[in-house]
Structures are given as C-alpha cells and as structure tokens.
Amino acid sequence: MKKQYHILNGDSLKHQLPEAIQGEFIVARECLVDGNVEGNNLTELIHTRATFISLNYEGYNEQNYYEKTVPEFLKMQGIPDNVDINFWFEDDLFCQVNFWFVLNLIYENYKNQSIFLIRPKFKSGYSFGGMNEKELITAFQTKIKIELSEIIELSKLWKLYQQNDCNKMLKIAKKLEIQFPFLYPAIIAQRDRFPQKGNLGKPTQSLIQIMDELNTIEFEPVFSEFSKREGIYGFGDLHVKRLINKITNNR
C-alpha cells in the first residue's frame, strides 16, 4: 500500500479517527467561507486571511495564524509523489470552500499523487461527528478516487469562489454532478447567501425569521435552530454571532 496522507477539515476529526486509520495527518485550520479571500497566490492569501482573522475573531491574532494555520498549508505543498492523499471533507459550504482551496493548492503542486475523497455517510447529515469508529473505517475503505480530469475541474472552483462567479461554478457542478452531487447544493447556498433584489441574503433572512419566531436574540437557541434549518452552510458559532450582531445593530 502507498503511504497515506490525510487532509482533515479541523482538529476535532483528527482526535476522532480510530488508530486503524494510519498515515500522516494534515489539518486545514481555516474558515475560508467567512471573510476576505483575496490573493493571487498563497503568500498573498495568507496575509489577507491573517489580517481578517485578527480583526474579526476575538482571541485570535496574526501570530496565531502564522503558527497554527500556515504550517499546515506548507505541509500540503510538500506532500511527495507516489502517495495517496485522502481528503476528509463534508458536504456543507464551510467544508466545501476549504476543500476547493486545498485541492487547488495540491493541484498547483501536483506530483502524480492518487487523490481520494471521503465524505460522511448519509445518515450523519453533514458531519463526521455523528459517526462511530466502525463507520469511519468503512468510509475510508469506500473512498472515492478523484481522477485527474476531475481534479482539474474541481480546482477551478477555488479561483471562481474568490471571484464570486457562481454561474461558472454551477456549470462545473453540473458537469460533475454524477460523481460529486454535493457540489450543486453548496454552490446554490453560496449564491443565495448574499443580498439580491432587495433580499438580505438567505442566512440573514433565516436568522431574522428564527429570532422573530422564538422571540429572542439569545444566542444558543437561535444558533441551534439556525444549524438545523441551514445546515448546508456549516457556519460556526463565531460566524453566526457576527451575523446576529449585525442584525441587532441595524434594527
């Protein structure tokens, strides 16, 4: 068997994976779905993201980003040839944006590796968190190989995401729909998150409706209900808090 590299979307999955799944583990410690993603190359993007995170996430600064996030990206660039790279990413928009970025990063440094995608089983919804050790092993054993022609198409999604060109993204999703049916819903969610024709954007509209229905701006019940209704976005608590604050400040 080839040497196994596993790229994980967050540290929680790293602690969850059973010992039977062996290899080198690299963690994508990012939330690229949130905020500025400008940058023509990795160096520019890192600067953009370090600045954004330090200004918008309490308790995080640029030094944290350079010490915890950047080294993982550099590890991805340094993966050698003739190995298997296993992408453990979920179907929600949060995970998909990170997936598009990481796949593009790997493709820019492609060294004839075999690339595979591992997704949660259907009953687990958007999360690996609901899967036990046996189910995680089964998911690994039934991973999907991403062919080079598919890698080329999927890698385009990151640049198009940076440009917010959802029309071109949807064309790629349609082309790859049989093998990757989760792309289309995620890109539709991306398209609908921004204000259009007087609408505030779906996440904001949904939060307003939830707060009105529950008659509260208390974070925990609002976040819980938002996660149920809008799981496709995969937004974390910090992201949703910022949206709620923006709503309440404008009311």
Side-chain angles (χ1 to χ4, degrees), residues 32-95:
L32 293 166
V33 74
D34 187 18
N36 191 348
V37 291
E38 293 177 0
N40 295 317
N41 53 51
L42 182 60
T43 300
E44 291 180 4
L45 178 69
I46 285 171
H47 175 73
T48 296
R49 294 302 297 172
T51 301
F52 172 78
I53 295 294
S54 65
L55 292 175
N56 291 278
Y57 283 76
E58 186 176 352
Y60 295 86
N61 56 43
E62 292 190 21
Q63 183 177 351
N64 296 146
Y65 193 85
Y66 280 96
E67 290 180 351
K68 297 181 179 180
T69 299
V70 174
E72 301 299 295
F73 293 156
L74 300 182
K75 289 178 188 177
M76 295 174 197
Q77 287 185 314
I79 296 175
D81 60 1
N82 198 34
V83 300
D84 288 351
I85 306 178
N86 303 290
F87 287 81
W88 295 74
F89 284 82
E90 299 164 2
D91 294 354
D92 59 81
L93 183 62
F94 179 106
C95 286

Side-chain angles (χ1 to χ4, degrees), residues 70-135:
V70 174
E72 301 299 295
F73 293 156
L74 300 182
K75 289 178 188 177
M76 295 174 197
Q77 287 185 314
I79 296 175
D81 60 1
N82 198 34
V83 300
D84 288 351
I85 306 178
N86 303 290
F87 287 81
W88 295 74
F89 284 82
E90 299 164 2
D91 294 354
D92 59 81
L93 183 62
F94 179 106
C95 286
Q96 282 300 298
V97 175
N98 284 359
F99 171 56
W100 303 333
F101 165 71
V102 172
L103 188 64
N104 180 72
L105 187 62
I106 294 294
Y107 178 62
E108 287 180 343
N109 299 272
Y110 188 64
K111 305 182 185 75
N112 197 35
Q113 300 106 336
S114 297
I115 296 180
F116 300 87
L117 177 63
I118 302 160
R119 299 165 54 214
K121 294 302 179 183
F122 180 76
K123 72 173 186 176
S124 300
Y126 293 106
S127 176
F128 285 113
M131 298 172 64
N132 59 37
E133 289 191 359
K134 183 178 179 181
E135 290 169 334

Side-chain angles (χ1 to χ4, degrees), residues 183-222:
L183 291 174
Y184 198 84
I187 296 168
I188 290 294
Q190 167 66 9
R191 183 196 66 186
D192 293 347
R193 67 186 284 209
F194 298 105
Q196 298 179 54
K197 299 179 181 178
N199 294 328
L200 296 174
K202 192 170 183 181
T204 300
Q205 287 183 312
S206 183
L207 282 169
I208 291 172
Q209 183 177 353
I210 290 167
M211 288 188 289
D212 288 344
E213 289 177 3
L214 299 182
N215 193 29
T216 184
I217 60 171
E218 185 181 348
F219 177 74
E220 291 300 335
V222 172

